[in-house]
Amino acid sequence: MNLDIRTPIGLLFLSLGGLLVIYGFFSDPGIYFRSLNININLWWGLALLVFGGIMTYFGRRKTKLRPSSTP
Amino acid sequence: MTTTLAWIDYLIMLIYLAFVLGIGFALKKFMKTSEDFFLSGRSIPAWVAGLAFISANLGAQEVIGMAASGAKYGIATSHFYWLGAIPAMVFVGIFMMPFYYGSRAHSVPEYLRLRFDEKTRGLNAITFAAMTVLSSGISMLAMAKLIVVLHIFDAPFASLGLSSEWIFHASIVLSAVIVLGYVYLGGLTSAIYNEVLQFFLIVAGFLPLVLLGLKNVGGWDGLRHSLPTGFTHAWVGMSQASTNPLGVEVFGLAMGLGFVLSFGYWCTDFLVVQRAMAADSMTSARRTPLIAAIPKMFFPFLVIMPGLIAIALPAVQEAAAQPGKAATATSWPSKGLIPAEAEKDPKTGEMVPKYLRQAGSDEPLLDANGQKQYAYDYNLAIPNMLLHYFPTGMLGLGLTALLASFMSGMAGNITAFNTVGTYDIYKAYINRSGTDRHYIWIGQLATLFGTIVSIAAAYAAAQFNNIMDALQLVFGFVNAPLFATFLLGMFWKRTTGHGAFFGLLSGTAAAAIFQSLTLPAGAGPGIKGGWLANLHTFPSEMAQNFWLAIFAWTTCFLVTIAVSLFTKAREDKDLVGLVYSLTEKPREDHLSWYKRPLALGIVVLIMTAALNLIFY
């Protein structure tokens, strides 16, 4: 297969993480009474961004090095 | 109930759906041959196949059901993982995959034809195909019900001016169209890729839930102190049925769940085996279930723990979804976050909390303090946890994870159905000599057909609950003996086709007879059993189920041996690659140790044993 699954997974998590981080910055702090007053959108969004970045990096690196082979 | 879904929650769901369908479109151009469509061209790397292997099983029953069971029975639910899955996954990887992958069969029923004969394959193919569409229908129904209970689509429907009655139908059609879309376009590869994506999404949605919940109740120690002791130990009290929440004694548990049911599912069910058959090499195929076993053994923390946390919390009324009445109900009984089920009061016609009754009467069953005991709706454990802890934003992610789990379960069933439907039913009995293109087309048609039948099954299940229960019961009878047939077929070359076929039939018959003569405690004759006579009463439904499996398996095992000895065996040369003693052992000395299936299997078993010791 020519599509490395890590790339779409990485892109999905980058977009979801980015969205949550931005929302976490601008949202009303009052909504975080549910999550024990932790800004879970911001922190978990950051975690998703890191994971998405790692997946995208490995997905793209492999595509560049060996266009159509499998490990 | 106060669901605070905002635009961001819907945006997260939309992004997820766009990616799911996008993967299908991106893969469409690679679907050139029928091998591509049904077996991903046998090109999937081991880690991808491994994550798809557990994700395909991670449907509605898993996520909602395991949390419910955690809330009901406690950490003992993890036996369904540590005892009821891991050993079988190690066995299928090390011992059975060489025959599935090595025989070049396209499906598990096709292996049965190569090893035995046409009638054994036909029996397995037809029951399996019926079962997959039924389970995908049940998944669909569960998802639609949940969407209605959680009011997920209420706001968009209201803003479009549509009646909220349509939400249920729209949910069914929407889930069906999405799964149909990506399987139709990209075949098995699309299903597998989406299963991997869904796996990560499920972890991303549920892990913060468990972390927040644990922090809230004071960590594992805090959780232990706020629950009865039996709930935080997996093995204490297992020696007798009466001293543990499952109502099963250790032999029934180990043999029934740990051996017959677990090996019957993980080693013979094409739904999961198909993922390994799509792997890019024999070693990858063997590593698939072993790689899958590692996240699998930690899944109790993700899906059972929320159930435990839900009952450990003080009763919270306003955040809980209540099945019967609006949130204004002041004194609806609940256990932590889990509300009592609703039932209609025959006198007033109002929805009231359902309480447990004494056997054979309408009198309430009272506890030691003279209080009514209620029937709790444990299936709401996960949904109510999400609503309790997640603010807008994360709530969207949590609900998306829930939808992802429903869809991966559904797609798993649909891909298994289209392959068996095409290779083992259409190609075997209707048209043997079609072109390769023709079979891709039939596969797509089977995908469409399977989805339509699933929708019909979902509506049938919504209308007639008993019919579905009865069907599932019958499938249970068919499945219980299956592993005996595979075990004998793979490891005893003398086993014959007649032996396998009649062994399976008598195993199924034995299961039906067993069920008709026994009952679980507290049930009357009917769907639960005992419709001929009641010779034995089991302490729980689970115990009855485990012993039924043991009984059916043993019958099939003995009858298969007996019939095989009286019928003519096949010649050795016909069984090369199909039977253990006549197949060359795969060579793996060139691989580094952690890539060798046997070494990986031993590591997995040691880790599982350690988890059992920690949570004994």
Side-chain angles (χ1 to χ4, degrees):
Chain A
M1 284 302 147
N2 284 317
L3 177 69
D4 190 311
I5 180 61
R6 282 173 289 195
T7 309
I9 291 176
L11 294 178
L12 174 68
F13 279 89
L14 282 178
S15 21
L16 294 182
L19 205 59
L20 285 177
V21 167
I22 296 169
Y23 190 78
F25 263 116
F26 294 106
S27 54
D28 167 21
I31 65 170
Y32 297 108
F33 76 92
R34 289 176 185 279
S35 50
L36 319 173
N37 292 317
I38 299 167
N39 188 334
I40 189 86
N41 284 334
L42 180 65
W43 291 111
W44 197 248
L46 282 174
L48 298 188
L49 272 181
V50 171
F51 176 74
I54 295 171
M55 282 306 232
T56 316
Y57 172 74
F58 282 105
R60 297 198 63 85
R61 192 188 63 159
K62 210 198 84 189
T63 324
K64 269 182 202 156
L65 290 180
R66 289 173 293 169
S68 65
S69 64
T70 40
Chain B
M1 188 200 53
T2 51
T3 312
T4 48
L5 283 176
W7 58 272
I8 184 160
D9 302 306
Y10 294 112
L11 187 59
I12 289 173
M13 285 181 215
L14 279 178
I15 292 178
Y16 161 72
L17 293 180
F19 268 83
V20 163
L21 287 173
I23 288 178
F25 276 106
L27 289 169
K28 186 167 180 275
K29 60 174 184 285
F30 301 118
M31 296 297 118
K32 296 202 175 74
T33 67
S34 61
E35 285 259 311
D36 291 337
F37 189 81
F38 296 111
L39 274 176
S40 302
R42 298 198 199 254
S43 67
I44 301 291
W47 73 273
V48 174
L51 293 183
F53 191 91
I54 39 171
S55 200
N57 164 259
L58 201 63
Q61 295 86 334
E62 185 88 0
V63 174
I64 301 285
M66 285 296 154
S69 189
K72 203 171 171 184
Y73 303 117
I75 203 87
T77 307
S78 58
H79 287 311
F80 283 91
Y81 292 77
W82 298 336
L83 191 66
I86 308 283
M89 288 162 87
V90 170
F91 187 84
V92 70
I94 293 177
F95 295 105
M96 291 174 72
M97 210 45 81
F99 309 113
Y100 283 141
Y101 197 86
S103 68
R104 309 303 282 180
H106 294 94
S107 65
V108 167
E110 193 176 343
Y111 171 81
L112 287 178
R113 182 184 64 82
L114 295 171
R115 173 63 186 88
F116 298 119
D117 53 17
E118 194 58 61
K119 60 179 182 297
T120 313
R121 181 250 281 261
L123 180 67
N124 185 248
I126 289 163
T127 49
F128 179 78
M131 199 157 41
T132 50
V133 285
L134 179 74
S135 343
S136 111
I138 289 175
S139 227
M140 221 178 255
L141 174 68
M143 178 165 154
K145 274 186 172 166
L146 200 67
I147 288 175
V148 171
V149 171
L150 297 181
H151 304 284
I152 295 177
F153 291 146
D154 284 23
F157 265 68
S159 67
L160 290 172
L162 294 168
S163 158
S164 62
E165 283 170 23
W166 287 97
I167 293 176
F168 178 82
H169 307 289
S171 310
I172 293 221
V173 173
L174 193 71
S175 61
V177 166
I178 291 163
V179 171
L180 172 70
Y182 72 76
V183 176
Y184 189 93
L185 289 165
L188 180 64
T189 316
S190 185
I192 288 182
Y193 276 19
N194 275 312
E195 278 154 10
V196 176
L197 188 106
Q198 284 147 352
F199 168 83
F200 286 115
L201 207 59
I202 290 163
V203 176
F206 290 169
L207 187 59
L209 186 67
V210 173
L211 296 177
L212 283 175
L214 275 181
K215 188 171 155 53
N216 193 195
V217 296
W220 174 246
D221 280 328
L223 190 60
R224 254 187 14 209
H225 289 301
S226 43
L227 289 173
T229 39
F231 270 69
T232 48
H233 286 282
W235 287 101
V236 169
M238 265 310 157
S239 59
Q240 280 176 340
S242 56
T243 52
N244 70 76
L246 300 178
V248 187
E249 83 302 349
V250 72
F251 182 82
L253 184 77
M255 283 304 288
L257 175 68
F259 181 62
V260 178
L261 289 176
S262 135
F263 281 67
Y265 177 76
W266 292 99
C267 302
T268 73
D269 198 297
F270 183 53
L271 171 68
V272 287
V273 173
Q274 186 178 27
R275 271 79 199 143
M277 282 170 136
D280 57 18
S281 67
M282 171 69 94
T283 324
S284 290
R286 295 183 65 199
R287 265 162 41 208
T288 295
L290 302 169
I291 291 173
I294 294 171
K296 183 82 183 171
M297 73 176 82
F298 295 106
F299 257 65
F301 301 105
L302 217 52
V303 296
I304 298 176
M305 206 62 99
L308 288 175
I309 296 167
I311 54 162
L313 289 171
V316 179
Q317 300 284 335
E318 20 71 55
Q322 288 164 355
K325 273 186 97 163
T328 46
T330 43
S331 60
W332 195 275
S334 75
K335 198 178 190 181
L337 294 184
I338 298 172
E341 282 179 46
E343 66 179 348
K344 209 175 228 160
D345 189 317
K347 283 177 227 129
T348 62
E350 264 184 56
M351 298 306 275
V352 292
K354 184 174 173 181
Y355 56 87
L356 300 177
R357 289 160 171 83
Q358 292 171 10
S361 82
D362 204 36
E363 289 301 303
L365 198 65
L366 300 178
D367 66 8
N369 302 324
Q371 297 289 315
K372 265 188 191 175
Q373 290 180 302
Y374 292 99
Y376 294 101
D377 197 347
Y378 291 104
N379 282 335
L380 287 174
I382 284 256
N384 278 350
M385 282 286 284
L386 290 174
L387 294 176
H388 183 69
Y389 283 116
F390 282 173
T392 311
M394 273 309 289
L395 186 56
L397 185 69
L399 292 176
T400 306
L402 209 52
L403 297 186
S405 82
F406 282 96
M407 285 191 190
S408 60
M410 231 185 288
N413 279 302
I414 293 288
T415 46
F417 173 83
N418 72 22
T419 308
V420 168
T422 305
Y423 281 115
D424 297 298
I425 296 175
Y426 182 80
K427 201 175 177 180
Y429 302 113
I430 299 170
N431 178 359
R432 257 170 217 283
S433 54
T435 59
D436 198 60
R437 259 271 31 100
H438 177 71
Y439 290 121
I440 300 186
W441 183 69
I442 290 296
Q444 291 178 324
L445 223 54
T447 311
L448 185 64
F449 176 77
T451 314
I452 293 171
V453 179
S454 302
I455 295 177
Y459 277 100
Q463 293 281 314
F464 314 101
N465 218 352
N466 289 335
I467 291 187
M468 286 298 140
D469 288 347
L471 273 175
Q472 278 187 310
L473 197 66
V474 172
F475 289 134
F477 298 164
V478 177
N479 276 354
L482 212 51
F483 184 63
T485 309
F486 282 83
L487 191 67
L488 285 170
M490 284 181 176
F491 297 97
W492 189 45
K493 66 178 183 182
R494 187 69 186 75
T495 321
T496 66
H498 291 304
F501 185 75
F502 291 105
L504 276 178
L505 284 187
S506 53
T508 301
I513 293 168
F514 185 91
Q515 220 262 349
S516 66
L517 295 175
T518 59
L519 265 177
I527 192 115
K528 306 271 186 215
W531 21 278
L532 284 184
N534 185 16
L535 300 184
H536 185 79
T537 302
F538 285 99
S540 70
E541 218 171 295
M542 218 180 273
Q544 183 197 25
N545 202 359
F546 292 169
W547 279 99
L548 178 142
I550 296 171
F551 194 72
W553 187 90
T554 313
T555 309
C556 175
F557 190 77
L558 296 177
V559 171
T560 306
I561 293 176
V563 176
S564 291
L565 289 175
F566 285 101
T567 45
K568 191 169 166 292
R570 290 173 69 182
E571 286 177 44
D572 281 6
K573 66 173 171 50
D574 296 333
L575 295 175
V576 174
L578 300 171
V579 177
Y580 191 77
S581 59
L582 300 172
T583 304
E584 209 182 321
K585 306 293 161 289
R587 288 179 58 91
E588 259 130 23
D589 4 321
H590 61 286
L591 296 168
S592 36
W593 71 268
Y594 61 89
K595 286 190 170 175
R596 286 183 209 156
L598 188 61
L600 205 53
I602 292 170
V603 170
V604 164
L605 288 179
I606 292 174
M607 285 167 76
T608 312
L611 282 173
N612 273 296
L613 281 178
I614 296 170
F615 293 95
Y616 79 95

